[in-house]
């Protein structure tokens, strides 16, 4: 997959893309991520990307021209252009899975003070990472890059790490433990030490359901409404 990110703050991405799994995934050629400075698509010597809003009001508004140019410079047939904005559809794991099937994603980072409405015409989709206002779309683009990249084939070394994690079948993940079996008098559940894989699987399924009921009952409601029951809620 290729991801192009258009932003006025390209440096913000360096630490995130240059560490850990995203760094390895790029080095291994599983994903190619390119960050573009929107100012490279301006024509004036001040590299101006924003202007005062028509009709008055406070703050500056991102101009359409450099954004249209920046998108045109990277867009090919089959590219999907995504505008990061709090007005977009809220990101969840099923959206991440759908986007991970694309060949080429282009993320356009909006600014907190707003962008010219005509920029929306460029977008195939608008995505929000939650009901709160960030100072710009950059952090949202990083989140989206991360959630999509980790779903690409071969990015997570251990195939099993995708097998049962939170939000699979709309359930939260079961509790995990490692050594020592007794830590400051807190014991690991016995069943996990039993070596009985059927029992362990059953316990994990029950725990996942219990956790979801306690912490995120909304997921179970969504599950029943949208997709029918998951394999653990029969
Ligand atoms: N830009 C500002 N806030 C945002 C949010 N919550 N999601 C995506 N982009 C944003």
């Amino acid at each position: 997959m290729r991801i192009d990110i258009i932003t006025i703050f390209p440096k913000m991405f360096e630490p995130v893309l240059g560490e850990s799994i995203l760094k390895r995934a790029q080095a291994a050629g599983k994903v190619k991520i390119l960050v573009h400075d929107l100012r490279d698509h301006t024509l004036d010597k001040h590299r101006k990307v924003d202007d005062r809003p028509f009709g008055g009001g406070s703050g500056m508004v991102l101009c359409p021209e450099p954004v249209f140019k920046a998108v045109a410079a990277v867009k090919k047939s089959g590219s999907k252009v995504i505008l990061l904005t709090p007005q977009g559809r809220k990101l969840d794991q099923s959206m991440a899975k759908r986007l991970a099937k694309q060949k080429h994603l282009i993320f356009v980072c909006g600014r907190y003070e707003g962008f010219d409405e005509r920029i929306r015409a460029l977008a195939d989709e608008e995505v929000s990472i939650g009901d709160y206002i960030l100072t710009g779309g950059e952090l949202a683009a990083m989140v989206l890059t991360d959630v999509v990249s980790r779903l690409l084939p071969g990015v997570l070394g251990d195939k099993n790490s995708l097998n049962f994690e939170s939000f699979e079948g709309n359930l939260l993940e079961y509790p995990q433990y490692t050594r020592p079996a007794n830590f400051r008098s807190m014991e690991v559940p016995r069943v996990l030490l039993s070596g009985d894989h059927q029992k362990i699987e059953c316990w994990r399924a029950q725990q996942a359901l219990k956790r979801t009921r306690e912490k995120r009952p909304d997921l179970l409601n969504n599950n029943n409404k949208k997709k029918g029951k998951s394999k653990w809620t029969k």
Side-chain angles (χ1 to χ4, degrees):
M1 170 184 277
R2 175 170 160 156
I3 301 176
D4 285 275
I5 302 168
I6 297 165
T7 170
I8 53 172
F9 296 118
K11 285 205 178 104
M12 278 180 77
F13 291 84
E14 286 171 11
V16 171
L17 301 181
E19 288 284 354
S20 185
I21 290 172
L22 287 182
K23 180 182 180 181
R24 285 207 304 272
Q26 291 173 89
K30 309 287 180 201
V31 60
K32 186 169 183 184
I33 307 170
L34 295 141
V35 182
H36 308 275
D37 189 341
L38 184 63
R39 292 185 198 280
D40 292 344
H41 296 273
T42 53
L43 297 173
D44 66 306
K45 70 170 183 192
H46 301 294
R47 293 162 51 90
K48 194 172 155 63
V49 289
D50 53 8
D51 211 332
R52 284 168 293 129
F54 278 127
S58 63
M60 300 288 272
V61 174
L62 210 55
C63 301
E65 181 73 26
V67 183
F68 272 67
K69 280 208 169 87
V71 170
V74 290
K75 194 172 169 175
K76 299 183 198 80
S77 77
S79 307
K80 199 180 225 335
V81 180
I82 295 182
L83 185 62
L84 283 312
T85 156
Q87 295 186 18
R89 238 191 90 203
K90 219 190 295 178
L91 175 63
D92 61 15
Q93 194 64 16
S94 71
M95 185 194 285
K97 281 184 182 165
R98 177 170 58 78
L99 294 177
K101 291 184 187 136
Q102 298 289 323
K103 274 212 167 82
H104 184 204
L105 298 173
I106 300 170
F107 298 159
V108 178
C109 303
R111 287 311 299 158
Y112 71 107
E113 284 171 327
F115 47 82
D116 188 289
E117 188 64 18
R118 290 164 290 188
I119 289 173
R120 292 191 195 280
L122 280 173
D124 297 303
E125 269 185 60
E126 296 183 17
V127 173
S128 161
I129 62 160
D131 290 339
Y132 41 79
I133 313 291
L134 299 162
T135 54
E138 283 74 14
L139 289 170
M142 289 179 214
V143 168
L144 193 52
T145 301
D146 188 278
V147 296
V148 167
S149 299
R150 69 185 287 285
L151 292 172
L152 299 175
V155 167
L156 294 186
D158 177 6
K159 275 193 198 146
N160 289 328
S161 27
L162 280 177
N163 275 355
F164 197 125
E165 57 181 10
S166 288
F167 305 112
E168 282 308 310
N170 274 7
L171 289 178
L172 298 182
E173 195 179 25
Y174 51 76
Q176 299 261 39
Y177 297 87
T178 186
R179 270 156 277 276
N182 182 328
F183 173 68
R184 300 187 183 183
S185 303
M186 291 180 277
E187 301 265 5
V188 170
R190 280 215 167 163
V191 60
L192 297 178
L193 311 174
S194 69
D196 184 333
H197 294 292
Q198 244 188 329
K199 265 198 193 152
I200 292 172
E201 210 200 325
C202 186
W203 180 84
R204 285 179 167 167
Q206 286 166 349
Q207 290 294 314
L209 189 53
K210 180 167 174 274
R211 282 218 147 166
T212 313
R213 275 209 187 102
E214 284 165 8
K215 296 188 184 191
R216 293 290 308 276
D218 57 302
L219 290 177
L220 294 173
N221 295 337
N222 279 347
N223 202 24
N224 289 336
K225 259 185 248 150
K226 281 194 212 148
K227 295 181 191 153
K229 293 184 174 183
S230 87
K231 67 176 173 175
W232 301 123
T233 54
K234 278 181 195 131

